[in-house]
Amino acid sequence: MTPRFDAIGLVVSDLAASVAFYRRLGFDFPEGAADQPHAEAELPGGLRLLLDTEDTVRSFHPGWRTPTGSGRAALALRCASPQEVDSVYEELTDHEELTGKASETGYHGELKPWDAFWGQRYAVVHDPDGNAVDLFAPLLPEPE
């Protein structure tokens, strides 16, 4: 048997905050997930996003320590258009220069939307634990 890719797992410090963040990005967590020590959202193609609290991981791996520094993990989310990259980034961050007002959520915007040299509108926002979430869309419509 060959192992197959099944899930992406993130260890989070505050499950409720993480579930709220990922729900805003369209992830479908079941009702009550924010009150559990483990939560799963099914992704397209049958993959799953798994969230576990630090305490949950320590319950079966007592030597586990919270990673330090940046770049712990990154998820990449394709947007429908370059404009959607901008609007999702604006909604999630507290960058007043983009919206004229502070966001209610105020997630950290690591990289403002820009037209990348590889042909995408691209931006990076951090989830509540500092994991990067890349937002991207092709700059030109894809050929049919």
Side-chain angles (χ1 to χ4, degrees):
M1 178 178 141
T2 302
R4 78 175 172 89
F5 185 45
D6 183 73
I8 299 162
L10 298 176
V11 179
V12 302
S13 56
D14 182 336
L15 194 78
S18 294
V19 166
F21 175 84
Y22 286 105
R23 276 183 174 153
R24 290 183 70 113
L25 289 169
F27 290 79
D28 187 21
F29 286 93
E31 198 63 39
D35 301 321
Q36 303 298 317
H38 170 85
E40 296 185 16
E42 190 167 328
L43 307 175
L47 293 175
R48 297 170 297 142
L49 177 63
L50 314 176
L51 303 178
D52 288 290
T53 65
E54 294 171 350
D55 288 340
T56 298
V57 173
R58 284 190 194 100
S59 75
F60 61 83
H61 183 0
W64 183 86
R65 299 289 174 255
T66 304
T68 58
S70 63
R72 299 202 280 179
L75 300 178
L77 301 181
R78 183 184 182 122
C79 295
S81 68
Q83 296 77 19
E84 186 179 31
V85 172
D86 293 356
S87 66
V88 170
Y89 183 87
E90 290 171 13
E91 177 187 338
L92 292 175
T93 66
D94 60 353
H95 287 279
E96 294 179 7
E97 69 271 16
L98 292 176
T99 62
K101 61 183 175 127
S103 166
E104 292 176 11
T105 55
Y107 298 109
H108 174 70
E110 179 66 19
L111 185 61
K112 290 188 247 181
W114 66 292
D115 293 342
F117 62 87
W118 58 84
Q120 293 176 338
R121 185 74 172 163
Y122 183 83
V124 180
V125 64
H126 285 173
D127 76 4
D129 289 287
N131 296 305
V133 175
D134 302 347
L135 305 170
F136 72 94
L139 287 171
L140 301 174
E142 295 190 39
E144 294 185 30

